Amino acid sequence: MLSMLDYISSRTSIANKGIQNTINLLDQDCSIPFISRYRKEMTGNLDEVQVGSISNLKKEFETLEARKLSILKAIAEQQQLTDQLKQQIDNCEEMAVLEDLYLPYKKSRKTKADTARENGLEPLAKIIMAQNATDLDSIAAQYISKQVDSKETALEGARQIIAQWIRERIDIRNQLRRQFDRQAVLQTKKVETVDNPEAAQKHSDYFNWSEPLAKCPSHRLLAILRAESLGFIKIKIEIDDQSALDTINNRLIKGRNHCTQQIELAALDAYKRLLYPALSKESLSTAKEKADDTAIVVFEKNLTQLLLSPPLGEKRILALDPGFKSGCKLVCLDQKGILLHNETIYPHPPRKEASQAIKKIITLINAYKIEAIAIGNGTASRETEQLIKRIAFEKPVQVFVVSEAGASIYSASKIARAEFPNYDVTVRGAVSIGRRLSDPLAELVKIDAKSIGVGQYQHDVDQLKLQQRLDRVVESCVNKVGINLNTASKSLLRYVSGIGEKLAENIIDYREQNGAFTSRKELLHVARLGDKAFEQSAGFLRIKNPINPLDDSAVHPERYTLVAQMAKDLGTGLDQLIGEPQKIDQIPLERYTSDKVGMLTLKDIIEELKKPGLDPRAKARIFEFDPNIKSIKDLKAGQILPGIINNVTNFGCFVDIGIKESGLVHISNLSDTYVSDVNEIVSVQQHVKVKVLEVDLTRSRIQLSMNF
């Protein structure tokens, strides 16, 4: 019988011990970040990707096993479960093969073969398949009855039974699957009459397309499937029909005889009516699953890079959500992101009150001791940036342009309404822009990741799988950075290892009733937060200026006694040890190894003691677009422009050059060397220089290059 360990080990290159220990930890409700960070000795130093892979395969296996139990029960109820069939099902490793085994026993609506059996034609079908009859017409005539009016009808019914047998042959299905894998061609045909020809034209590249399915890249397949779902094209998966029929006949026909023609006719019927429709659909579905996975991987990488964007840190910020007719919504935030002031200014057309706006901004900068200005990158962003740069401030003020992607989603959300019940969506949106500058991770976790705009055909992939994978990315980023227990929002806390939504809410309630946490141990006083949740979460939660300095580090509380012993053995206190590399390097690590603590954990502790609570993210950098480029009409081939990468795909990356339209750097224009993985060259939020290659004003498309 197939074991979980065998199933996973056959699909990874990870050692069996690491797999089994990881399975055990997952069964104990340990999170992926906790396992990869604090249980390295048990896993053999597996990282989050490897632990995540084991977790995914574990779920796959559990789904397969649950389906096996369901199938075994169904067949047993029909009293057709033999020892051989049970063994085949128990040892099955693939869902498709499992479903093939179940196919003959699957209850479905009445088929042509069922009717033929009711008419007593199954013995005739068996005679034909035996292929030793010499006078088939005479034999068929014996089956004429009230329901079967001729020998031709008898033979037709027998063929329908044979066609069903062929459909249920696992060897034939597998042979045809291999043909689909190797030979399937994706064919599209334009739908001539559509309700919206203009919208259809956007998909004109795929109106009459033909390509081997195995070679079709994920983004193209998803684009084609989108065009089909919109009703603009029809899709067909084709293979060599004659080759497929030869495959079937070679498995059935023993030699030319009186029954050969009937078997060939049955094979043709089985292929066209039963096998081809099912296997072509399966082939496309499998290709779609692979395309989904590829697209989701792209989304995961982009989201990771975006969530780990450099934070400005705790600064007093003036944030602007620019606009023309509706004005620019302006908010002032303190260093904790608390809203201090809001109002609207109208520096741009149609009101053109620039001088009043400048005076107001200067007043607010001085009144609230503003250290940085965040400007949303939407409508009127460039004009607002130019306005700000005209102002001579008394003290230096940093100016940043911040992505607004998803801000409108947040401002209308339940989370935003709970945070700012007395303010409208414009104020909430401006606050979000300011907070994104201060700490992108803390603000972006409040928005559904699918709405942030860094995906590739995210609306076309499996939505449940996408949501699960993106949630894991957010969890990974939150725990990688670590969060301030006394300032984190519920939205941020819920992604901490072992916490979740309800405990996050309880932590906030405790904080409001009792004030700031003074130690990690105090978490155990939070309602429903028991030892397991504490174990999983404590290492990722930070307390600033704590009584125990280790509470502001990634050292887990289960190792506090060990670290205290290290300090004692050196003849110093914790306060004198932490942040002192020369003293820390004197610690003889071998002395502190045990059954539970190995060198991997000890080295992590040492690194953390040297730089406790170090934020792995880089620092925010000021960026300036070319002031001469304000719309797509200002672009000319050959221009060299600064830009920020705002999306990465498998076929290249999109670059924000300070106008409404982002430009595409195709993978072929990324480098002067061959590029197999775009993410090896560029990342989301990266500052780059690009060259304008081509501008298509009609379709609002911009082709750029980084290879110049």
Side-chain angles (χ1 to χ4, degrees):
M1 189 169 178
L2 182 67
S3 71
M4 183 182 290
L5 178 61
D6 290 339
Y7 181 86
I8 296 174
S9 63
S10 67
R11 288 160 174 78
T12 70
S13 57
I14 301 169
N16 281 3
K17 183 181 177 182
I19 294 172
Q20 189 59 62
N21 285 341
T22 301
I23 290 170
N24 295 340
L25 289 166
L26 290 167
D27 284 338
Q28 295 166 26
D29 293 327
C30 293
S31 73
I32 292 171
F34 175 81
I35 293 170
S36 60
R37 172 72 189 181
Y38 295 114
R39 293 296 180 263
K40 291 185 175 181
E41 278 76 20
M42 290 186 71
T43 67
N45 199 24
L46 300 182
D47 60 26
E48 281 194 43
V49 174
Q50 292 168 308
V51 175
S53 175
I54 292 171
S55 177
N56 290 340
L57 290 168
K58 179 176 181 287
K59 288 174 184 173
E60 272 183 28
F61 177 81
E62 289 167 346
T63 302
L64 182 68
E65 290 301 295
R67 182 59 178 152
K68 286 181 185 179
L69 290 174
S70 174
I71 287 173
L72 287 169
K73 182 182 177 183
I75 299 174
E77 286 173 352
Q78 297 174 37
Q79 297 183 338
Q80 297 193 63
L81 184 61
T82 63
D83 290 342
Q84 183 183 7
L85 179 57
K86 185 178 185 302
Q87 187 177 18
Q88 284 179 300
I89 291 172
D90 284 340
N91 293 330
C92 187
E93 294 190 29
E94 295 179 26
M95 192 66 79
V97 177
L98 181 61
E99 295 298 336
D100 282 352
L101 288 168
Y102 181 44
L103 194 59
Y105 312 97
K106 193 180 245 180
K107 291 180 180 178
S108 58
R109 68 175 187 268
K110 192 172 183 180
T111 65
K112 292 180 178 181
D114 292 334
T115 302
R117 284 193 183 91
E118 290 173 2
N119 293 337
L121 296 173
E122 187 164 18
L124 177 59
K126 290 179 178 179
I127 290 169
I128 293 171
M129 286 304 295
Q131 302 180 51
N132 52 21
T134 55
D135 189 357
L136 194 56
D137 285 348
S138 297
I139 295 170
Q142 297 173 22
Y143 289 87
I144 295 174
S145 66
K146 191 174 180 180
Q147 291 79 24
V148 182
D149 58 9
S150 65
K151 63 181 181 181
E152 287 77 16
T153 304
L155 290 170
E156 182 184 7
R159 291 198 301 269
Q160 288 165 351
I161 294 171
I162 293 169
Q164 188 175 66
W165 289 341
I166 294 170
R167 168 183 176 254
E168 293 168 356
R169 284 271 297 263
I170 292 176
D171 59 334
I172 290 175
R173 294 179 75 89
N174 284 338
Q175 276 288 103
L176 292 178
R177 273 198 188 97
R178 283 191 282 274
Q179 274 188 254
F180 273 99
D181 288 344
R182 293 192 303 265
Q183 301 174 8
V185 174
L186 175 66
Q187 299 271 10
T188 73
K189 187 177 180 181
K190 178 185 176 184
V191 175
E192 296 299 335
T193 306
V194 294
D195 294 333
N196 191 341
E198 191 175 329
Q201 197 59 34
K202 293 179 182 178
H203 303 270
S204 59
D205 289 347
Y206 306 116
F207 276 174
N208 292 288
W209 186 266
S210 179
E211 180 177 18
L213 184 58
K215 293 184 178 179
C216 185
S218 66
H219 60 273
R220 186 179 298 144
L221 179 58
L222 292 172
I224 288 170
L225 290 170
R226 178 186 290 179
E228 184 199 34
S229 69
L230 294 170
F232 301 144
I233 61 172
K234 296 286 186 185
I235 291 177
K236 187 177 182 183
I237 303 298
E238 294 186 346
I239 60 170
D240 185 336
D241 291 339
Q242 188 56 54
S243 175
L245 285 169
D246 289 345
T247 296
I248 298 171
N249 288 327
N250 289 340
R251 292 266 170 176
L252 300 174
I253 298 171
K254 300 174 182 176
R256 302 305 296 182
N257 55 68
H258 290 86
C259 299
T260 299
Q261 185 183 14
Q262 296 300 318
I263 294 174
E264 287 176 340
L265 288 170
L268 180 62
D269 177 43
Y271 174 68
K272 287 192 170 181
R273 182 169 57 87
L274 302 172
L275 288 168
Y276 171 79
L279 293 178
S280 63
K281 184 178 179 181
E282 180 185 295
S283 178
L284 183 58
S285 177
T286 301
K288 167 72 162 55
E289 280 184 33
K290 291 178 182 176
D292 282 1
D293 280 336
T294 302
I296 291 171
V297 167
V298 171
F299 205 147
E300 287 175 317
K301 290 177 180 177
N302 289 351
L303 182 61
T304 299
Q305 292 159 3
L306 186 64
L307 292 176
L308 296 179
S309 295
L312 184 62
E314 294 186 350
K315 303 284 186 182
R316 300 176 75 88
I317 294 171
L318 184 149
L320 286 154
D321 187 357
F324 288 110
K325 187 176 179 180
S326 59
C328 300
K329 180 56 69 174
L330 177 155
V331 298
C332 296
L333 309 174
D334 72 5
Q335 59 266 39
K336 300 295 183 185
I338 304 298
L339 177 61
L340 304 173
H341 177 83
N342 81 91
E343 65 178 275
T344 305
I345 56 177
Y346 298 89
H348 310 308
R351 291 176 60 166
K352 299 182 181 179
E353 297 172 359
S355 58
Q356 295 97 311
I358 289 172
K359 288 177 183 177
K360 175 56 69 177
I361 291 169
I362 291 172
T363 301
L364 294 173
I365 293 283
N366 295 331
Y368 293 102
K369 298 181 173 60
I370 297 299
E371 300 167 272
I373 295 174
I375 303 168
N377 70 341
T379 304
S381 174
R382 299 301 302 281
E383 291 80 0
T384 305
E385 183 186 7
Q386 294 304 314
L387 176 84
I388 296 296
K389 288 183 176 178
R390 286 164 47 192
I391 303 174
F393 297 113
E394 293 179 9
K395 294 181 180 179
V397 178
Q398 293 177 297
V399 181
F400 298 86
V401 176
V402 179
S403 171
E404 291 183 8
S408 60
I409 303 290
Y410 161 76
S411 60
S413 70
K414 184 180 178 181
I415 294 172
R417 290 196 300 273
E419 281 192 285
F420 302 104
N422 301 319
Y423 296 97
D424 65 17
V425 292
T426 61
V427 175
R428 298 171 194 158
V431 170
S432 181
I433 289 167
R435 288 179 172 177
R436 284 189 193 195
L437 175 59
S438 175
D439 190 342
L441 177 61
E443 196 61 23
L444 290 171
V445 294
K446 300 174 185 177
I447 304 166
D448 180 0
K450 297 194 294 293
S451 302
I452 295 176
V454 290
Q456 177 181 325
Y457 293 98
Q458 64 262 37
H459 302 297
D460 301 285
V461 302
D462 183 315
Q463 293 301 292
L464 179 60
K465 187 185 289 187
L466 176 65
Q467 190 66 57
Q468 291 171 340
R469 298 263 291 269
L470 295 186
D471 281 348
R472 187 178 288 178
V473 168
V474 178
E475 179 189 41
S476 172
C477 291
V478 168
N479 290 288
K480 182 176 183 178
V481 171
I483 69 168
N484 187 331
L485 178 57
N486 286 319
T487 60
S489 66
K490 175 184 168 183
S491 301
L492 196 56
L493 281 166
R494 67 188 284 262
Y495 285 107
V496 173
S497 167
I499 297 296
E501 193 145 353
K502 184 57 185 173
L503 284 181
E505 197 174 293
N506 292 351
I507 289 170
I508 299 292
D509 290 343
Y510 181 91
R511 212 164 61 190
E512 289 175 351
Q513 293 166 17
N514 300 279
F517 287 87
T518 57
S519 74
R520 281 171 168 167
K521 273 189 178 180
E522 199 177 342
L523 278 165
L524 290 167
H525 298 151
V526 173
R528 298 187 178 181
L529 200 156
D531 291 341
K532 189 66 183 181
F534 180 81
E535 175 199 61
Q536 295 296 302
S537 64
F540 304 105
L541 296 166
R542 311 278 189 269
I543 297 172
K544 299 300 174 184
N545 305 312
I547 297 168
N548 184 335
L550 293 177
D551 280 347
D552 190 20
S553 75
V555 176
H556 198 282
E558 65 188 5
R559 304 297 172 224
Y560 281 11
T561 302
L562 177 65
V563 177
Q565 186 63 48
M566 289 176 176
K568 184 180 179 181
D569 291 348
L570 281 178
T572 188
L574 271 180
D575 287 332
Q576 289 74 44
L577 178 64
I578 293 174
E580 295 293 333
Q582 289 183 333
K583 288 184 180 179
I584 293 167
D585 286 338
Q586 295 175 28
I587 298 172
L589 297 184
E590 296 81 4
R591 184 188 299 175
Y592 301 99
T593 58
S594 66
D595 292 340
K596 292 185 177 181
V597 181
M599 291 301 291
L600 293 169
T601 295
L602 289 169
K603 286 178 181 178
D604 279 350
I605 290 172
I606 292 302
E607 286 305 307
E608 193 59 29
L609 291 176
K610 289 180 179 179
K611 295 179 180 179
L614 179 69
D615 193 325
R617 297 171 292 179
K619 294 297 181 185
R621 292 189 297 129
I622 292 175
F623 176 87
E624 293 185 7
F625 291 113
D626 189 319
N628 300 311
I629 307 300
K630 296 174 183 175
S631 77
I632 192 171
K633 293 178 182 178
D634 297 325
L635 296 176
K636 292 184 178 65
Q639 289 173 319
I640 309 295
L641 304 171
I644 301 175
I645 294 173
N646 56 15
N647 202 357
V648 177
T649 71
N650 281 338
F651 54 85
C653 65
F654 289 92
V655 181
D656 180 0
I657 52 175
I659 58 176
K660 180 181 177 182
E661 301 83 3
S662 292
L664 171 65
V665 180
H666 189 265
I667 188 170
S668 60
N669 292 316
L670 279 172
S671 172
D672 56 2
T673 59
Y674 174 74
V675 177
S676 59
D677 183 358
V678 178
N679 279 280
E680 291 179 356
I681 306 295
V682 294
S683 59
V684 173
Q685 296 295 296
Q686 181 179 335
H687 296 180
V688 294
K689 289 277 188 180
V690 292
K691 181 179 182 179
V692 179
L693 296 180
E694 185 181 340
V695 182
D696 185 342
L697 293 175
T698 306
R699 297 201 289 177
S700 296
R701 290 186 179 179
I702 306 162
Q703 294 289 332
L704 305 171
S705 175
M706 287 172 54
N707 178 23
F708 58 91

